[in-house]
Structures are given as structure tokens and as C-alpha cells.
Amino acid sequence: MAGVVCATLILIIQALLQPDFLWAVPDGTHSLCYDFTINSKAAPGQQWCTVQGQVDHKNFLSSDCGLDKFKFLSALGGKVNATITWEQQNTMLREMGDTLKQQLADTKAENGMARGLHTLEGRMCCLHKSNSSWQFGFNGQMWLHFDSDNTRWREMHSGSNWMKEKWENDRELSEFLHKTSMGDCRTWLENFLVEWKTELEPTGPSSAIIDRDSQESAASTLIPSALLWILSCFIHLGLQIFLTGAVGRMDRDMGQLCEQGGQESELPRPQSAL
């Protein structure tokens, strides 16, 4: 039984290591992502907020959200920069930048462990009629993942538990992140696709990858757990083999003793002297 379980876990490990497990998303699915960078150390007049927009990993927007400067990149941005959705997007991106700036300031003010966190990176992604999420990092290291579909937080960094507890208890923040990624982001993508449909078709398995860091994190969590199970299986299997062999040897020894005892009982008794 232990051997069967070990073999099954080995197959699971092999599946986790396959690139398709880590990166694949449904064929024909488009993604829209926005990368925010908030710099709390920016001097007056310097950029404290930047945002980059990508559709299927193709840049179409760049902005200094602190100075309210938005510009389109490539032909993709040129096809939508005159639309109402473009203006709605820019207004909401400014609000997102302000929210993230305030969140970073509040975190640093309330917890001494955050004093060295000067840069906040936020990534909002949504798939067309599918998953939506936010990811947050500090000083270039991803810390937290927010699943907008079920409003759950997950750690992506070994020392981020205190941050997770603080942010997941902020209902207003969770509602804002849920609304922007599930509502605004998906609406923008749906409206933009009307203008982009010819440029973005067809899409393949690798053209709409979302939440790559969180999938890597999930795999990095699952693989060590599975390896521990495999190690436990082999230890259990080894003990079974050892104990089975020991019991077999004991049976053989007992058998030999019994045979010797039987032989001794059959030896002729010495005759008593007359």
C-alpha cells in the first residue's frame, strides 16, 4: 500500500514540474494587467506613482499617475485613447494610485517592521470573463496575493504574515480591490476588445498568462509538501521491509529452535545401572 502511495505522489511531483501546470491558461483568453509602483521616498516634484498597462503582455499605456499624465503606447493604445473607456480608466487608475500611496503610508506609520519598506509594487490582472487578482510587493519582493474571486489573501513571502493579517482585516481595502479587479478591469477589457479584436486574434496558450507569481508560489508550496509525503512513504516502506525481514528471521530462528528441541527430545535416554 505504501509503495502505491509513493508512486502516486511521484507522479504528482512530475505534473507540478511541467511548464503547462505553472503557466498555462485557457486558449483564446485575453488578459489585462496594470503594474503600479509607489515610491514613498520621492522628493517633491519627482514621480511617486507610475503605472504600466498591458494586454496579453503587450504594453499599451504608460502613466505618471501622480502628475496625471497618461500616454498610449503602440497601435493598441492608439486605437482606444479616444474612447470613453480610456478616460474612465485613467480616472480610476489615479484613484488606485492614491489608495496604494495611502496604504503604504498607513502601513509604515502603524508598524515598525515596515519602516524599511519604501516602494510598493501592485499588480492588478483580470482575464476576460474569468479570474481576477491583485499582487503586492515591497522593495522588489512579492509579499501578498489577493484572489478577487473569493476575496482571500495569501502569503507569497516567508515574512509577510503580519502584513497579511493587517490587510485582510481591512474590509474597505478588500472591497476596493475586489471592485476594481472584478468590475472595472473586466469592463475595460471587454470594451477595449471591441477595438482590439483584429490585433489580438488569434490567441494561444501563452498569450494570456495571468498571475504567474502566484502559480509559482502555489507550486513552490505544493512541491515541498509532496516531497515530505514521499519521504514519509519511503521511511514507512523501509520500516515495513525491515520489520517484515526481522519477523521472518524470528520465525526461522524459532523454527530452528523447535526443530532442535524436537531432536533433543528424541535422543535415547541413558539406561540406569542395575
Side-chain angles (χ1 to χ4, degrees), residues 41-240:
K41 301 290 286 183
Q46 293 183 335
Q47 283 187 337
W48 60 265
C49 173
T50 60
V51 59
Q52 295 281 336
Q54 304 97 30
V55 56
D56 297 351
H57 296 286
K58 301 174 182 177
N59 291 327
F60 74 93
L61 172 145
S62 177
S63 167
D64 179 349
C65 42
L67 297 177
D68 196 19
K69 293 181 179 180
F70 291 82
K71 62 181 179 180
F72 64 87
L73 304 175
S74 74
L76 291 170
K79 290 184 71 69
V80 297
N81 74 314
T83 64
I84 296 177
T85 302
W86 178 268
E87 294 301 324
Q88 294 173 340
Q89 165 202 252
N90 296 350
T91 300
M92 198 64 210
L93 291 178
R94 285 193 294 270
E95 183 176 343
M96 292 179 192
D98 290 336
T99 299
L100 296 181
K101 178 184 179 182
Q102 189 61 48
Q103 191 67 24
L104 177 58
D106 291 345
T107 300
K108 294 182 66 173
E110 295 173 10
N111 195 311
M113 297 176 66
R115 291 176 182 173
L117 305 179
H118 304 306
T119 304
L120 167 62
E121 296 89 18
R123 179 175 176 83
M124 177 181 70
C125 281
C126 60
L127 290 176
H128 188 220
K129 300 180 180 180
S130 185
N131 308 75
S132 299
S133 67
W134 276 89
Q135 295 180 66
F136 296 98
F138 295 90
N139 298 348
Q141 173 69 55
M142 280 298 166
W143 279 46
L144 299 173
H145 173 268
F146 177 76
D147 189 332
S148 303
D149 295 277
N150 55 31
T151 64
R152 291 183 179 179
W153 292 87
R154 186 176 72 251
E155 298 174 43
M156 300 178 67
H157 183 271
S158 58
S160 62
N161 181 62
W162 63 272
M163 182 76 72
K164 172 180 174 291
E165 291 181 356
K166 170 180 168 51
W167 285 27
E168 70 181 352
N169 290 327
D170 189 337
R171 176 175 291 185
E172 185 177 350
L173 175 63
S174 294
E175 290 178 351
F176 178 79
L177 299 177
H178 176 80
K179 170 183 172 293
T180 51
S181 56
M182 294 284 288
D184 297 314
C185 185
R186 289 187 182 180
T187 299
W188 302 339
L189 178 57
E190 185 173 350
N191 292 341
F192 286 156
L193 286 177
V194 175
E195 306 294 333
W196 288 337
K197 57 184 179 181
T198 56
E199 283 81 0
L200 297 179
E201 290 180 348
T203 59
S206 62
S207 63
I209 299 170
I210 187 173
D211 206 8
R212 176 170 179 159
D213 289 327
S214 98
Q215 290 180 344
E216 279 188 317
S217 177
S220 65
T221 301
L222 289 171
I223 290 174
S225 299
L227 287 174
L228 286 175
W229 275 101
I230 290 175
L231 179 60
S232 300
C233 281
F234 279 117
I235 292 174
H236 180 66
L237 188 60
L239 287 173
Q240 280 189 332

Side-chain angles (χ1 to χ4, degrees), residues 18-27 205-206 208-210 215:
Q18 293 299 318
D20 289 344
F21 173 84
L22 294 176
W23 319 125
V25 296
D27 290 359
S206 62
I209 299 170
I210 187 173
Q215 290 180 344

